[in-house]
Amino acid sequence: MTSITQSRPGTGIAFIIAGMIAISINDMLIKQLSGDYPLHQMVFLRSSIGITLSMVLVYFEGGVSLLKTGHPMLHSVRCIMVVASNMSFFVALAALPLADVTALFFAAPLFITVLSIPMLGEKVGVMRITAVVIGFAGVILMQRPWEGSDSAAADRIVLLLPVLAALTYAINQVMTRKLGATTKASALAVYIQGMFIIVSIGFYLIAGDGRYAEGLENPSWVFLLRAWVWPEQGDWFYFIWLGLNSGVVGYCLAQAYRLADAATVAPFEYVGLPMAIFWGWLLWAEIPSLEVWAGMAMIMGSGLFVFLRERQKAQRVTRTEVKGRY
């Protein structure tokens, strides 16, 4: 894993930027369609298209034999984390501004730092711990706990969904560091798309008739539980776009973290934040509040500091290894 990540950093950065552009378009399309279709239907349609694209990539990277794995349980847990992260994020989009949800989601690097201690056995110094605390303070600031439930931007549970998305995404990324060393990016993408399809079918069997959405007013819960409907003719273009985009996202992110060290690649995920602000302003006239701007700055600054320290640590380790050889 180390030799792979150290040899292709430029390619890894290119893949992560491409992936973040695709993610921003994906989020924009889902928010745009969230008022008419249930989330699990959108997930099923986009993943059915996305898995087809991913299988084509599998074919070109070596064939279906790539899908064989000696760690089925670990891959299953990783896929469940990805599904939980995506669905939590998307449900929040129906009720919150795109920039707010995206900024809260960027607490993921802070969670990665914390999780790397028990899961990867990494040592985290005082400065990085301080940065994590500041970042989480930014998360709390964006939650605006001083506001009453009547004046809050959304239901308190909905406000916590992007944070849950960040936590489950962080678990996924830590697991990708281990699994990506022996599994191709295309295979990782197929596993994820397959899990999305399984989960969305489960939602359809339980709530596809819309029975649980009756009487609900919160747009997030309605988005999650409303009945399946046949897409309008003009909306098929967006669903096909979502599906192709989903395949691109899964492949680009997996490839980025396979080809480059996480400390090198992850800071470029912040490209998604200004793009989210742009889409929110352009399509829904959403302008972040002062608290959101301040929280964004704290989360983004802390995350970038954590990655900078991680990169410096990786460089020191590399120099030590090189000196040891001579």
Side-chain angles (χ1 to χ4, degrees):
M1 181 72 173
T2 302
S3 61
I4 293 174
T5 57
Q6 289 179 353
S7 63
R8 308 277 300 276
T11 306
I13 290 170
F15 270 112
I16 199 67
I17 292 175
M20 295 313 298
I21 292 172
I23 284 176
S24 73
I25 294 172
N26 178 83
D27 297 344
M28 176 269 291
L29 290 173
I30 286 182
K31 184 173 179 64
Q32 186 75 6
L33 296 169
S34 64
D36 300 312
Y37 302 98
L39 174 59
H40 43 284
Q41 179 184 6
M42 295 167 65
V43 168
F44 176 79
L45 290 174
R46 76 162 195 158
S47 295
S48 297
I49 299 170
I51 199 170
T52 303
L53 175 60
S54 297
M55 286 301 298
V56 172
L57 294 172
V58 165
Y59 173 78
F60 283 108
E61 284 197 336
V64 294
S65 61
L66 295 179
L67 298 178
K68 295 180 181 179
T69 176
H71 307 286
M73 288 304 299
L74 287 177
H75 281 291
S76 296
V77 172
R78 174 181 175 270
C79 290
I80 290 171
M81 291 298 102
V82 175
V83 171
S85 177
N86 276 255
M87 296 192 75
S88 298
F89 185 92
F90 295 149
V91 168
L93 282 180
L96 294 171
L98 180 56
D100 293 34
V101 179
T102 303
L104 287 169
F105 177 75
F106 276 119
L110 309 178
F111 282 118
I112 290 174
T113 299
V114 174
L115 291 170
S116 67
I117 300 173
M119 295 182 68
L120 298 178
E122 295 184 2
K123 294 182 179 180
V124 178
V126 175
M127 295 184 70
R128 276 201 288 171
I129 288 295
T130 302
V132 168
V133 171
I134 293 172
F136 282 130
V139 172
I140 295 173
L141 177 62
M142 290 186 63
Q143 299 284 323
R144 293 185 281 273
W146 57 85
E147 291 185 350
S149 57
D150 295 334
S151 59
D155 186 283
R156 289 296 179 191
I157 296 178
V158 175
L159 284 168
L160 289 173
L161 287 177
V163 183
L164 174 62
L167 173 60
T168 48
Y169 177 80
I171 296 173
N172 153 60
Q173 290 303 88
V174 172
M175 295 186 71
T176 299
R177 291 190 193 183
K178 292 186 175 182
L179 295 173
T182 56
T183 307
K184 290 285 189 179
S186 56
L188 292 172
V190 168
Y191 299 152
I192 290 174
Q193 300 293 356
M195 184 62 73
F196 273 123
I197 291 173
I198 292 171
V199 171
S200 59
I201 290 175
F203 264 91
Y204 172 75
L205 294 175
I206 296 171
D209 59 359
R211 73 182 78 175
Y212 298 111
E214 295 178 2
L216 295 178
E217 296 182 0
N218 188 297
S220 289
W221 308 135
V222 174
F223 181 35
L224 182 65
L225 298 170
R226 69 160 56 97
W228 282 41
V229 293
W230 189 256
E232 296 288 337
Q233 184 174 357
D235 289 341
W236 275 109
F237 168 77
Y238 296 109
F239 281 107
I240 294 173
W241 192 2
L242 272 173
L244 295 175
N245 209 47
S246 177
V248 171
V249 168
Y251 182 81
C252 285
L253 266 61
Q255 194 74 315
Y257 280 92
R258 286 184 70 253
L259 297 177
D261 187 86
T264 299
V265 168
F268 290 90
E269 291 192 9
Y270 285 99
V271 169
L273 187 52
M275 297 190 71
I277 296 172
F278 170 74
W279 288 123
W281 167 77
L282 181 67
L283 298 177
W284 301 285
E286 296 172 349
I287 300 176
S289 65
L290 181 61
E291 295 92 346
V292 171
W293 281 115
M296 282 183 188
M298 294 170 70
I299 295 170
M300 188 171 178
S302 298
L304 289 173
F305 178 82
V306 164
F307 285 128
L308 178 62
R309 297 290 294 183
E310 182 70 22
R311 187 171 186 179
Q312 291 174 340
K313 178 183 176 183
Q315 290 173 340
R316 286 197 299 270
V317 171
T318 301
R319 286 195 294 268
T320 301
E321 290 176 347
V322 170
K323 289 180 181 178
R325 295 193 187 107
Y326 298 96

